[in-house]
Amino acid sequence: MKIVTTAAGMQRLARGWQRRGVKVGFVPTMGYLHAGHISLVKRARRLVGRAGAVVVSIYVNPAQFAPQEDLAKYPRDFPHDRALCRAAGVDVIFAPPDPEMYPGRATGDHSTYVVEEMLAQGMEGAARPTHFRGVTTVVAKLFHLVLPTVAVFGAKDWQQATVVRRMVRDLNFPLRLVVAPTHREPDGLAMSSRNQYLNAEERPQATILWRAMQHAKAAVREAGGAVPAAALKQELAALIATQPAARLDYVEFFDPESLRPVAAVRRGAQLALAVFVGRTRLIDNGRV
Ligand code: PAF
């Protein structure tokens, strides 16, 4: 397994693969890897085969954090990430330092961004106004450096995957984007690097996101048709409020492709939740 830390080095390697017709499977991450990331790596390997190359990027992208967010304390553990990647059969870790990804940013000398203007507006985009601009910018840069045949994103960040899919289409990136299922703890909590912020009191309460999703599914199943979204949102808000450490940021029912909110929730609608548990902001997503 190779570790590449320069943008030029990564692009050189990727160009070599391209010349030789080697398929490249790419999993972009911010590190602090867990079984959820590894399931994306395995999916990438299946997609490119043994003759292909699997690249994992590990880069905590400052451009997607607002000043008051958790950039400085975002968890990092490169030796652990390296061991997990090696065990999972990753070919290359791309782990650039900030000046490689954003030369000039520290001195205010970075002025080009990639902005998706429709799908990025609601939900995470409304709660974190500069977030998706940072995501699309760094993912576009990573795609230019890694030149993947296929990139694998997790379904937990459904809106992110949908925004990136749109960017790929609109800007003609020559790659396929695959969205892989969310990996969960046995009690339903979606795996996330941020789960490690939860203390012993908060951790069991964090399953409220999963329980809220199950509640919504059951409500729609029992109604045997459509349920008004406003009423169901209120029910979920009340359920979440039963947990003393939990505070709802938003709940939305929407069309999984257009991301437009729906007024009536039917089977096949997508549900997104953002909930603070203590000081930790968790998100989850699922099909109703
Ligand atoms: O989902 C993430 O971990 C990040 O948003 C990504 C896609 C690696 C971009 O920094």
Side-chain angles (χ1 to χ4, degrees), residues 28-30 37 57 59 61 64 74 131 135 138-139 142 153 157 160:
T29 82
M30 298 207 298
H37 293 111
S57 64
Y59 180 61
N61 171 34
Q64 68 189 74
Y74 195 84
H131 173 66
V135 171
V138 81
V139 171
L142 290 167
F153 284 75
D157 299 295
Q160 167 172 282

